[in-house]
Every structure is written in structure tokens, then in C-alpha cells.
RNA sequence: GCGCCUAUAGCUCAGCGGAUAGAGCAUCGGUCUUCGGAACCGAGGGUCGUGGGUUCGAAUCCCUCUAGGCGCACCA
């Protein structure tokens, strides 16, 4: 990656300058470069001399000049200039730039890949919704965030596993089972009351009816406890199938579906509890068992086992993270949670620390709330109240591509409105079509060339010298940098902005440069360029889990 | 009361401590009509919520305040 190359050159120059005595031997600040907004300042610029000036008290412009003298010329770089008050600017060489078109074509679908992760193992756990009902838009946001992030991390050289944690144990599931039993009885004309903490949505009635259609009234005669258990299992399977189906529609897939219950069945829960006990992190208070978070700087302790003997959600999450880090040995674990889990972060970090794991290895991304609207009308999303618009309905209305793009283009930490009316009405203006259109346009050009029997394999890319052509190449070269940023910050929205930028630059090129003309040599060169652009666009769309259509 | 998130153009949002704060939509005005017009080019529009501070330099970092959201369970 050219960005890395330039940073290396600067680092070496700084070291050489120190050796020669032009710069004092002090600890150097980190060398950073950026893309100047003004093209006259080149492709890359470093303000390193300005930063160093502070610590050593030398005129930044002098530092810049001294350092520039130590930068060894390379084929990639056309010129290195020094600009006040102390910038070092780099301009890329045109021959090198055009040569990158061939490089992109050679790389093909792997173009953009970098080796940031060096094969280290990362788990991305996301969605992990309790199987008590259908998914809603908020879950969709987490799903798209997680799957896009996983795609990018894989491209950045990490060994990625995607996981869905199935909460098939615990009190909320118990409430779900009891609700299902009540609806089942009611649908068969029996007298039954919904539990106070029950799930009141219409989908529970539908679920009961589905089960009745298949299983008839056979559970009616069983003792309630047994009926609840058996019905519950059937209900759980059906809801999980529905969730999987919804996620598939969004092109979200998982490598592992991890069962909460298995933590008990496999003894992980017991193991981790005795570990924490030995570490002195467990205390008995008021008839319950507590994790002593206060020993690790937390505000308060947290219950792990209730006074009735049942473990809390926090208890299984402790076992789960023990399993992730210790049993399965992930180097890094990324959890994507909804905003309502914010308060859970610090105590989970405390747990991880108590298990002797560096807390930085656990990254939690909080995706803020999505409010759903139809025009001005707010639609409440609550599984219990029952008045829900499901994720599936939203996908049906706006389509998976638009849905994905819409969610991925906003940072996780700001709340967003999802206006169904607007999403539908403006779907033709949706940026997703703008980007996909660029791809389809290129495909169309390539079809034309094929019809004419033009083979561009021997095309000479050095003919690509005009501004629109070089601008397009420059933009294509940014993809690896974008992947680096996304993998580092865990903020996939940069990808969506890049996709739009790339499409814009292509459309602009298209307007100014005709590809297929009487000029055979130029035609072949531009066909190569356009094919490379198609490669980069497709890769970008695919990383976002979107289609790159040849026709629309 | 405490913790976390947010506040940037009319609207929806980008913005990595750096050189003139950007994009889409909307508005206004152009291009064009031989590779797909679902396109391109241009213009207007901003005291970056408030008030301080750090810095050669702050939308960006620190503090105050205001407004909105989410948490602060022996729910998950």
C-alpha cells in the first residue's frame, strides 16, 4: 500500500536525519500522513515537522527541508515538496499510477486485501437476539454492522469467525414458553391467562396456531410443566428458523450458532465460577451470590446467582466470555450490542480482567437506537406490546441492498430514524442505485467491446494520461486504505462513503472520456481502466454485502 | 444524582489535531441527446449547540452549561 510506503520513507528519513545530526536525538512523535484537500498540495502530506517543532524548538520549515533531503527517491513518487508552515507534500508519479491498473486487474477479486491482522483470530458476535419473537429494524442494524465488519476484517488479514449467541436459557425464555403455553390453551378453547411478564404480540397466537395445526391438542393433557417444556422447544425452533430466514434475506450469515444452554451442559459455567471463587471475586450477600466488581474499580457488585438459586444473564455471559477467550482462544473478541446494553460493558471488561485477560482484547460496539417511522407517525418497537413492524416487512418494502446500504452508511454511535415512507418513495434516488448503476454501466461497455470482438489484454495503460483517467485511478487506489481504517476503527460506514466517491469519479470519467472508439489503442487502454474500476466497485459492494449487478 | 451516545448547510449525514469545513437530497442555473440520462457541470446556502481552556494550529482534545436519546434489576 502506497500510504504505508510513504510513512516508511518518512520514518527512514527522520532516522537518517537524526544520525547525521540534522535532527536532535529525541523520541519522535508518530509519523502520520493525510490526503490534502487541495490537490495542489499533492497526493499525500505530512505535518510531522510541525509536530516535531514543538518538542525540539526548531523552525518547522527547517525541519521539513532537512527531512526532505533524506527521503530516497522511489518510482512511485514524482515529487516531494516542502510547504509552509512545515508540510512535506508527496505527488505520485503518473507512470506508476497507470501501472496500477494492471496491478488491480491481476489482483482481481482480492484487490484491496491487506495484511493488518496477520492471521490473528477474531470473533465477531452479533445479533444474538433472544428467540422470543421476530427481529425488528434495530436488530437489522446490528446484523448489517456485524456482517460488514466481519467481511472487512477478513479482507484485512484476520481469521474471522461470525457467531450468534442463542439465549436458549434464562428467565426471558421461560416467560416466552409460558406465554406460548397460554396461547396454545386459549386457541384450543381452554381457559388460560397470559403471564404477567408474557409476550403479548399477535405472532404468539400465530405461533400457537401453527403448532396446533401440526401437533393438534396433544399437549393439553400433559402436566403443565411437561407441556411447557415440549411446546417451548417447538416454539424456540420455529422462532430460530424465522430469525435465520430473516437474516438470510439480508445476506447475513454465521459460522457458529452458540447455545447458552451448552455452557451449563459442558461444565463451562461451573469451571469459571470456581475460577472466580479462587480469585476471590465471588461473595455471598443477602442470600445471593455476587461478582465483586467493586474490587476492580466498578461502582457496584453484580448478582450472578439469585437467592432462588437460578443464575442470571450476567452469570452465563461470564461463562461465555471464558469460553471465547480461554476455551476457544480468540485473540480478539468483538461484541455488537444495542444501546440498552451500554451498562453491561464495564462489568464485562471487569470479568475479563478477573480472568487474567487483557480487557483491550474485548471490543464492544454499541449500535444506537433505530426509531421506525411511517411519515410522521412513530412506530413503537416492543416485542411485549405486540405492535411491531418486523425486519422482514422492512426488507420486503425497501429491499436488502438498500437496507444494507442505509444501515452501513451511518456511524453506529448516532441514533437514526428509519422512515419507511421515505425509504420507499426515494428508493430511485437511493445512493445504492447510484453506485450499482456505475457498475452496470461498466458491464454494458464491456459487453459492447465483446460484441465488437475487442480483446484488451495487450492494452497499454501508459496511454491513460488525462485528468479524469488519473483521478479514477487515484480513487481506486484508496480501497486498501479504507479497509485499513475500517479494520482499525471498527467503523464500516467509511466503506459506504467510499463507494459513492468511487461511483462519482467513474461517472465523471464516463462523461469526459469515451471508451470504445475508432482509436484501437486508446480503446484497449480505457477498457482496461474500466474493467479495473468494475473490479474495485464490485469488491466494495460485496464487502458491504450488496449485489454488483451487470444490468439493472 | 451517576455512566454512555448525540448536536456541523433548509433536510439526512461525513469529517483521521493541520493548509479555503465536505457529500447526498432539496432550491436555482447549465450540459446532453453515437459505450445505459438511474448521468455530468456550476451556483447559492455554515459564528461546526453554549461558554471557557490546552496548542504554532481545534468541528476534532479537556472542562462548564443547554437540548435529545439509552442505561443505572436477584430482565436480557
Amino acid at each position: 500500500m502506497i500510504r504505508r510506503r510513504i510513512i516508511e520513507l518518512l520514518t527512514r528519513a527522520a532516522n537518517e536525519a537524526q544520525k547525521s545530526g540534522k535532527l536532535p536525538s529525541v523520541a519522535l512523535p508518530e509519523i502520520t500522513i493525510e490526503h490534502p484537500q487541495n490537490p495542489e498540495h499533492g497526493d499525500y502530506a505530512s505535518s510531522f515537522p510541525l509536530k516535531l517543532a514543538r518538542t525540539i524548538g526548531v523552525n518547522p520549515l527547517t525541519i521539513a527541508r532537512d527531512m526532505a533531503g533524506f527521503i530516497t527517491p522511489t518510482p512511485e513518487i514524482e515529487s516531494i515538496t516542502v510547504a509552509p508552515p512545515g508540510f512535506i507534500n508527496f505527488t505520485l508519479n503518473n507512470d506508476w499510477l497507470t501501472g496500477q491498473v494492471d496491478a488491480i486487474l491481476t489482483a482481481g477479486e482480492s484487490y484491496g486485501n491487506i495484511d493488518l491482522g496477520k492471521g490473528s483470530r477474531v470473533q465477531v458476535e452479533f445479533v444474538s437476539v433472544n428467540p422470543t419473537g421476530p427481529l425488528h429494524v434495530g436488530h437489522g442494524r446490528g446484523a448489517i454492522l456485524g456482517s460488514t465488519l466481519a467481511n472487512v476484517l477478513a479482507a484485512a488479514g484476520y481469521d474471522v469467525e461470525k457467531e450468534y449467541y442463542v439465549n436458549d436459557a434464562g428467565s426471558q425464555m421461560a416467560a416466552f414458553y409460558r406465554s406460548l403455553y397460554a396461547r396454545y390453551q386459549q386457541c384450543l378453547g381452554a381457559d388460560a391467562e397470559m403471564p404477567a411478564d408474557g409476550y403479548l404480540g399477535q405472532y404468539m397466537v400465530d405461533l400457537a396456531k401453527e403448532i396446533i395445526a401440526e401437533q393438534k391438542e396433544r399437549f393439553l393433557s400433559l402436566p403443565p410443566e411437561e407441556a411447557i417444556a415440549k411446546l417451548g422447544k417447538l416454539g424456540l425452533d420455529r422462532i430460530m428458523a424465522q430469525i435465520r430466514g430473516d437474516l438470510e434475506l439480508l445476506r447475513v450469515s454465521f459460522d457458529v450458532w452458540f447455545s447458552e444452554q451448552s455452557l451449563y451442559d459442558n461444565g463451562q459455567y461451573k469451571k469459571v465460577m470456581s475460577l472466580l471463587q479462587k480469585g476471590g471475586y465471588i461473595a455471598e450477600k443477602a442470600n445471593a451470590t455476587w461478582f465483586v466488581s467493586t474490587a476492580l474499580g466498578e461502582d457496584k457488585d453484580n448478582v450472578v446467582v439469585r437467592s432462588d438459586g437460578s443464575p442470571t444473564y450476567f452469570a452465563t455471559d461470564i461463562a461465555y466470555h471464558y469460553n471465547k477467550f480461554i476455551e476457544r482462544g480468540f485473540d480478539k473478541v468483538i461484541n455488537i450490542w444495542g444501546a440498552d446494553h451500554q451498562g453491561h460493558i464495564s462489568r464485562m471488561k471487569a470479568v475479563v480482567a478477573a480472568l487474567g485477560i487483557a480487557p483491550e482484547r474485548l471490543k464492544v460496539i454499541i449500535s444506537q437506537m433505530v426509531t421506525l417511522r411511517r411519515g410522521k407517525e412513530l412506530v413503537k418497537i416492543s416485542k411485549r406490546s405486540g405492535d411491531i413492524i418486523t425486519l422482514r416487512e422492512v426488507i420486503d418494502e425497501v429491499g436488502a441492498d438498500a437496507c444494507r446500504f442505509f444501515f452501513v452508511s451511518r456511524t453506529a454511535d448516532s441514533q437514526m430514524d428509519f422512515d419507511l415512507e421515505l425509504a420507499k418513495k426515494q428508493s430511485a434516488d437511493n445512493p445504492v442505485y447510484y453506485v450499482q448503476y456505475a457498475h452496470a454501466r461498466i458491464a454494458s461497455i464491456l459487453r459492447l467491446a465483446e460484441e465488437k470482438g475487442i480483446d484488451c489484454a495487450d492494452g497499454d495503460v501508459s496511454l491513460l494520461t488525462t485528468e479524469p483517467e488519473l483521478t479514477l485511478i487515484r480513487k481506486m487506489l484508496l480501497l486498501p486504505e479504507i479497509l485499513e481504517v475500517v479494520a482499525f476503527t471498527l467503523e464500516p460506514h467509511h466503506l459506504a462513503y467510499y463507494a459513492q466517491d468511487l461511483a462519482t469519479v467513474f461517472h465523471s470519467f464516463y462523461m469526459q472520456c469515451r471508451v470504445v472508439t475508432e482509436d484501437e489503442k486508446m480503446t484497449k487502454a480505457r477498457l482496461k481502466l474500466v474493467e479495473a474500476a468494475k473490479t474495485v466497485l464490485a469488491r466494495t459492494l460485496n464487502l458491504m454485502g450488496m449485489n454488483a449487478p451487470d444490468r439493472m
Side-chain angles (χ1 to χ4, degrees):
Chain A
M1 197 199 311
I2 184 65
R3 204 182 86 88
R4 285 278 153 223
R5 274 290 278 147
I6 291 174
I7 291 174
E8 278 169 28
L9 289 176
L10 279 166
T11 308
R12 210 174 305 155
N15 290 337
E16 291 294 318
Q18 282 188 321
K19 265 186 212 161
S20 76
K22 286 260 190 187
L23 288 180
S25 303
V26 294
L28 298 175
E30 192 195 353
I31 294 188
T32 57
I33 60 175
E34 68 241 2
H35 296 279
Q37 43 187 338
N38 184 343
E40 284 171 22
H41 296 141
D43 292 294
Y44 294 89
S46 180
S47 56
F48 179 77
L50 286 161
K51 288 181 179 122
L52 187 60
R54 184 181 315 170
T55 45
I56 65 176
V58 175
N59 183 328
L61 205 53
T62 310
I63 300 174
R65 289 207 183 97
D66 286 345
M67 278 182 65
F70 283 99
I71 298 173
T72 45
T74 71
E76 297 100 314
I77 294 162
E78 175 66 32
S79 68
I80 298 160
T81 58
V82 167
F87 290 100
I88 304 176
N89 297 331
F90 298 81
T91 303
L92 297 174
N93 173 275
N94 285 355
D95 289 335
W96 180 80
L97 275 172
T98 55
Q100 294 310 295
V101 172
D102 281 327
I104 290 168
L105 291 175
T106 304
E109 284 177 15
S110 67
Y111 175 68
N113 284 358
I114 53 176
D115 191 24
L116 189 68
K118 303 199 183 339
S120 69
R121 295 183 60 228
V122 178
Q123 184 205 48
V124 185
E125 183 226 313
F126 56 111
V127 190
S128 300
V129 177
N130 283 353
T132 55
L135 299 179
H136 59 64
V137 272
H139 302 135
R141 184 180 198 181
I144 285 153
L145 207 54
S147 73
T148 305
L149 206 48
N151 290 344
V152 171
L153 289 171
Y158 289 91
D159 182 5
V160 180
E161 262 185 50
K162 292 174 288 183
E163 183 153 308
Y164 188 118
Y165 181 52
V166 183
N167 296 105
D168 51 5
S171 62
Q172 291 202 353
M173 282 317 288
F176 167 79
Y177 298 146
R178 289 197 308 275
S179 303
L180 181 58
Y181 182 52
R183 289 299 188 212
Y184 175 82
Q185 290 171 297
Q186 288 169 354
C187 287
L188 288 167
D191 226 9
E193 288 221 346
M194 282 296 278
D197 57 350
Y199 290 87
L200 300 175
Q202 173 62 30
Y203 69 93
M204 288 300 283
V205 179
D206 299 339
L207 183 61
K209 284 181 181 160
E210 278 175 40
I211 293 175
I212 289 167
E214 206 174 80
Q215 304 282 332
K216 312 299 178 199
E217 51 191 63
R218 48 184 293 210
F219 299 113
L220 226 42
S221 54
L222 295 179
E225 221 167 279
E226 193 183 341
I228 288 172
K230 290 196 164 153
L231 260 177
K233 173 79 174 84
L234 290 174
L236 169 68
D237 288 348
R238 280 174 181 271
I239 295 280
M240 276 314 298
Q242 203 178 317
I243 288 175
R244 282 174 199 248
D246 292 354
L247 292 170
E248 269 167 34
L249 282 179
L250 268 185
R251 295 190 279 273
V252 173
S253 65
F254 291 90
D255 302 305
V256 178
W257 298 77
F258 192 94
S259 154
E260 177 184 6
Q261 183 61 44
S262 74
L263 292 166
Y264 296 107
D265 300 344
N266 299 337
Q268 313 261 287
Y269 170 71
K270 273 194 178 163
K271 212 188 271 182
V272 73
M273 281 309 155
S274 75
L275 259 176
L276 290 177
Q277 188 96 50
K278 272 182 208 154
Y281 295 108
I282 296 291
E284 301 289 329
K285 271 192 298 188
N287 260 339
T289 307
W290 301 69
F291 175 67
V292 189
S293 324
T294 46
L296 293 147
E298 289 287 290
D299 288 343
K300 54 186 174 120
D301 296 338
N302 300 97
V303 173
V304 281
V305 182
R306 302 182 184 92
S307 44
D308 69 359
S310 63
T312 61
Y313 152 86
F314 183 49
T316 41
D317 235 14
I318 293 171
Y320 186 34
H321 284 78
Y322 166 81
N323 172 276
K324 290 181 181 205
F325 283 108
I326 310 287
E327 297 282 327
R328 286 192 278 170
F330 287 109
D331 298 305
K332 200 197 267 188
V333 167
I334 299 169
N335 295 339
I336 298 176
W337 292 342
D340 51 343
H341 286 63
Q342 173 62 50
H344 193 49
I345 297 176
S346 62
R347 60 173 176 266
M348 270 328 294
K349 291 233 177 202
V351 164
V352 166
L355 292 172
I357 298 153
E360 307 84 61
R361 286 168 61 195
L362 174 65
K363 303 265 182 203
V364 180
I365 297 171
I366 291 296
S367 84
Q368 291 295 326
M369 305 267 299
V370 179
T371 51
L372 194 60
R373 291 188 316 179
R374 281 192 185 278
K376 299 208 164 171
E377 181 194 350
L378 277 172
V379 182
K380 285 221 170 174
I381 312 170
S382 158
K383 261 189 263 185
R384 296 218 170 134
S385 74
D387 176 28
I388 56 173
I389 301 293
T390 62
L391 177 60
R392 185 172 295 231
E393 288 172 83
V394 172
I395 301 168
D396 287 346
E397 283 191 25
V398 300
D401 281 338
C403 205
R404 288 200 68 121
F405 194 89
F406 188 76
F407 277 123
V408 90
S409 56
R410 277 154 180 75
T411 53
D413 22 66
S414 41
Q415 298 166 230
M416 61 184 283
D417 274 5
F418 199 124
D419 185 341
L420 288 166
E421 228 166 64
L422 201 72
K424 261 192 304 183
K425 196 168 66 183
Q426 293 199 335
S427 63
D429 293 326
N430 193 309
V432 64
Y433 297 105
Y434 179 78
V435 177
Q436 289 180 324
Y437 180 66
H439 187 269
R441 242 184 175 178
I442 297 173
S444 172
I445 297 170
L446 296 178
R447 278 195 299 272
L448 178 74
E450 200 179 351
E451 278 167 27
K452 296 199 168 196
I454 305 168
D455 179 6
C456 67
D458 61 344
D460 178 8
V461 290
S462 69
L463 297 173
L464 306 169
T465 55
T466 67
E467 186 271 331
E469 294 164 323
L470 293 170
T471 301
L472 179 53
I473 296 171
R474 284 188 158 92
K475 193 62 82 176
M476 295 193 292
L477 287 179
L478 249 41
L479 180 62
E481 293 181 23
I482 299 294
L483 296 189
E484 190 178 55
V485 168
V486 172
F488 187 73
T489 62
L490 306 181
E491 293 173 349
H493 69 274
H494 294 107
L495 212 47
Y497 284 87
Y498 173 68
Q500 288 183 86
D501 281 353
L502 183 57
T504 298
V505 166
F506 168 75
H507 285 309
S508 179
F509 155 83
Y510 177 88
M511 280 294 160
Q512 298 173 74
C513 303
R514 195 183 157 85
V515 177
V516 180
T517 63
E518 300 302 311
D519 182 342
E520 191 186 329
K521 283 189 173 175
M522 187 52 92
T523 297
K524 287 183 175 180
R526 284 185 175 161
L527 278 173
K528 272 191 162 178
L529 173 62
V530 143
E531 197 176 329
K534 184 169 183 279
T535 304
V536 183
L537 270 171
R539 184 84 210 276
T540 306
L541 285 166
N542 290 337
L543 285 168
M544 290 191 287
M546 292 166 56
N547 285 320
D550 284 343
R551 297 172 200 270
M552 333 179 18

